[in-house]
Amino acid sequence: MKATGIVRRIDDLGRVVIPKEIRRTMRIREGDPLEIYTDKEGGVIFRKYSPMGELSDFAVQVCETLHKIGGFMAAVTDRDTVIAVSGPVKREMVDKRLSEGVEQLMEERQPYRCQQEHTKVPVLDGHEKYYVGVAAPILAEGDVSGCVLLLVPAGDTPVLMGDTESKLAQVAAGFLGRQMEV
């Protein structure tokens, strides 16, 4: 645990304000769920809660199936990180922070397909080895919970995904969204 040097008081309703700088750095937005942990030394730890994390087994299976059927790398994300990936890139992508571009694609709540070379959206923050070929947001009870991505290596000739790939990602996203609602 790393000390920030910031001290806050608890108000009469038991609330504590998380400073804006920390919220920005940790990408904590209004309405985000936080899990509360305690440690043996009496510390209280807040951690962003990812409902998609509970579906990690499903997410891995979805990625592997998309990889087998379509032959492309697939990833499933929560709102901040990659939680599952198919293909040989698992170690370099799982639990890594998403780029702002992917976060924007999720917020738009619409399927995305890379149409041109100059519209590449990198998958990871500060890492342009892979970009998004197709993105389908995962919606559960009206909220964005994550995204299904079909990935394209940056060094390859631009691969423009078609309607079939887009629909395949949307089906996977719909399945994961429904699993979260059950």
Side-chain angles (χ1 to χ4, degrees):
M1 204 167 21
K2 190 164 104 176
T4 64
I6 300 170
V7 176
R8 292 286 192 249
R9 296 198 183 278
I10 295 176
D11 71 9
D12 58 340
L13 295 176
R15 297 176 296 198
V16 64
V17 174
I18 300 171
K20 187 174 187 175
E21 303 81 38
I22 292 175
R23 292 193 319 262
R24 188 179 322 122
T25 302
M26 302 305 294
R27 294 185 177 180
I28 298 171
R29 295 174 284 278
E30 182 180 332
D32 281 353
L34 299 175
E35 264 184 302
I36 303 170
Y37 296 89
T38 58
D39 63 19
K40 292 177 180 160
E41 292 83 41
V44 178
I45 302 162
F46 290 93
R47 172 175 266 153
K48 284 183 74 170
Y49 173 71
S50 171
M52 285 298 299
E54 294 181 18
L55 293 180
S56 62
D57 290 338
F58 277 128
V60 168
Q61 292 173 6
V62 165
C63 289
E64 293 300 328
T65 302
L66 289 171
H67 184 68
K68 285 179 187 174
I69 290 173
F72 30 70
M73 292 178 287
V76 174
T77 75
D78 60 15
R79 290 191 53 164
D80 299 301
T81 60
V82 175
I83 62 168
V85 183
S86 65
V89 296
K90 289 179 186 174
R91 284 194 183 111
E92 60 184 294
M93 295 190 82
V94 172
D95 293 329
K96 299 291 190 293
R97 184 172 278 186
L98 297 173
S99 72
E100 288 183 22
V102 174
E103 289 183 1
Q104 285 178 312
L105 293 177
M106 281 189 271
E107 289 303 317
E108 291 171 7
R109 299 171 171 257
Q110 297 295 318
Y112 165 84
R113 201 169 40 159
C114 182
Q115 298 293 319
Q116 299 172 339
E117 172 75 17
H118 68 275
T119 61
K120 287 183 184 180
V121 175
V123 176
L124 300 177
D125 192 25
H127 188 271
E128 296 188 9
K129 195 171 179 183
Y130 299 95
Y131 67 92
V132 177
V134 167
I138 299 169
L139 303 174
E141 297 177 358
D143 294 327
V144 177
S145 300
C147 200
V148 173
L149 305 172
L150 302 183
L151 312 178
V152 178
D156 286 3
T157 306
V159 177
L160 301 179
M161 305 267 180
D163 285 336
T164 303
E165 290 84 3
S166 181
K167 293 290 183 195
L168 198 54
Q170 289 175 55
V171 167
F175 171 77
L176 290 169
R178 294 291 292 160
Q179 291 301 311
M180 290 184 65
E181 293 173 351
V182 174

